[in-house]
Amino acid sequence: MWDAIFQFLFKYPPVAFERGRLALASGWPAWVLLLLMVCAAALVGIYLASQHPRLSALARVLIWSTQTLTLAILLLLLWRPSLVLSTLVPQRNVLAILVDDSRSMAMAEDGVRRIDRVKETLDDSSRLLSELRDKFQVREYAFSSAAHRLASPNELTANGTSSRVEDALAEVYSELRHLPLAGMVLVTDGAQNIGTGSPEVLQEIEARKIPVYSLGVGREQFDRDLQLEELALPHSALPGSLITATATVRQHGYLGQSAKLEVREGGKLIKSKDVQFGPAEVQTVPVSFTPQSKGLREYTVSIVPSRDEPIPQNNSQSRLVEVQDRQAKVLYIEGEPRWEYKFILQALKQE
């Protein structure tokens, strides 16, 4: 409703003003317009003060504001304000299509794999791709741990081990940043599960107002699913110290049930913990363990999938931790013995 009223008053919808820019088509300097507006406001004030001295202060301000605004609008119309919009020239602008090639895209729904539906949609003979190529130079990419060009959708294999959505957007934009980029289409079955992207590149995409369109593949939610959404681990630790991993677990359809959370160093199980699922879909589970060896170690935290879980691929995440080969050195200075020393010593022994 409000959009219709806005378009009735200003001829164009609000989105046109968001994407366009206002300009003065007369060619006269804008500073001259501002100077004339200031002079008009001063003249109106002088006129009211000299010709109508008996007016109250409130009435004088209202009359002055109304007359000044009227003169300002008339002056602005003389400068011919215009709305400048950018239009797409066929075959001059580039449209990037990024397709998720991770293993979750190999899931079958109604007997058809997700990746096969994408191949059918983006096939060279498809109507969608034909219409896009009439307007844009279409460039197709596949991404998982990294993004790369696709010569044909048939090259998609759904064998990737991760979904670095932000990293893929940043990589493709860095390749196309000097071309007239009309937009980026993201074809994926979910959010990224690793990587944080390049903030500077993503901010540049936003600053240039390059649209990013998302095309979802597959169901929005399964009847039963466990997912390890986030894993927080320290980047480094001391030998023999206690490390706490904080896992964020999302469940759907497992109310009142339990699952086992496991921590592995390489392929060796070093800690497990039972997780009871309550009414909340998301819960944070801390699990503490002691590194078994020194050096750079990979720790994998996972939820043991149930037999009826349709997508166990989202049940685990891995992080690298550097177990440093050194002893902690603490200098404690105090004027007299205090109880704090005892508790500090106990805490250091625990760590």
Side-chain angles (χ1 to χ4, degrees), residues 165-297:
V165 175
E166 293 183 2
D167 290 343
L169 288 173
E171 289 178 30
V172 173
Y173 174 74
S174 298
E175 179 182 329
L176 304 176
R177 70 196 316 163
H178 300 299
L179 299 176
L181 186 58
M184 306 170 76
V185 180
L186 185 65
V187 183
T188 180
D189 61 351
Q192 68 178 6
N193 56 20
I194 192 171
T196 57
S198 174
E200 296 79 10
V201 176
L202 297 178
Q203 289 171 5
E204 185 176 341
I205 295 176
E206 182 180 4
R208 289 185 58 186
K209 297 183 179 180
I210 296 176
V212 177
Y213 306 97
S214 60
L215 178 60
V217 182
R219 301 175 186 173
E220 294 185 4
Q221 192 175 53
F222 293 98
D223 295 333
R224 294 172 62 82
D225 184 42
L226 293 175
Q227 179 181 357
L228 186 62
E229 281 198 338
E230 186 57 52
L231 175 63
L233 266 176
H235 298 293
S236 61
L238 294 175
S241 63
L242 195 65
I243 298 179
T244 299
T246 304
T248 302
V249 181
R250 178 183 293 273
Q251 64 85 18
H252 184 74
Y254 288 88
L255 176 63
Q257 302 182 38
S258 62
K260 192 175 292 295
L261 189 72
E262 296 182 341
V263 181
R264 296 180 181 272
E265 183 181 87
K268 181 181 178 183
L269 178 66
I270 59 175
K271 186 79 174 192
S272 65
K273 181 178 182 178
D274 290 328
V275 180
Q276 188 72 28
F277 298 116
E281 286 192 358
V282 180
Q283 62 187 86
T284 302
V285 182
V287 55
S288 300
F289 59 93
T290 301
Q292 302 295 309
S293 55
K294 301 175 183 178
L296 192 62
R297 295 289 177 263

Side-chain angles (χ1 to χ4, degrees), residues 87-150:
T87 59
L88 296 176
V89 180
Q91 298 295 324
R92 292 286 184 88
N93 297 275
V94 176
L95 179 68
I97 301 179
L98 291 76
V99 182
D100 189 348
D101 202 25
S102 61
R103 283 183 291 194
S104 62
M105 293 288 286
M107 284 191 57
E109 296 176 354
D110 300 327
V112 182
R113 297 192 310 163
R114 293 174 175 177
I115 198 68
D116 293 333
R117 293 185 185 275
V118 174
K119 289 180 180 180
E120 181 182 355
T121 303
L122 298 180
D123 186 75
D124 292 337
S125 60
S126 67
R127 179 181 177 183
L128 172 63
L129 205 62
S130 176
E131 292 180 355
L132 290 176
R133 284 178 173 166
D134 288 341
K135 299 179 180 180
F136 307 101
Q137 296 181 29
V138 178
R139 297 194 180 185
E140 297 172 295
Y141 296 82
F143 73 90
S144 176
S145 56
H148 62 274
R149 281 288 299 273
L150 281 177

Side-chain angles (χ1 to χ4, degrees), residues 233 264-267 295-300 318-321:
L233 266 176
R264 296 180 181 272
E265 183 181 87
L296 192 62
R297 295 289 177 263
E298 181 182 39
Y299 294 96
T300 301
S318 300
R319 296 290 186 270
L320 291 175
V321 177

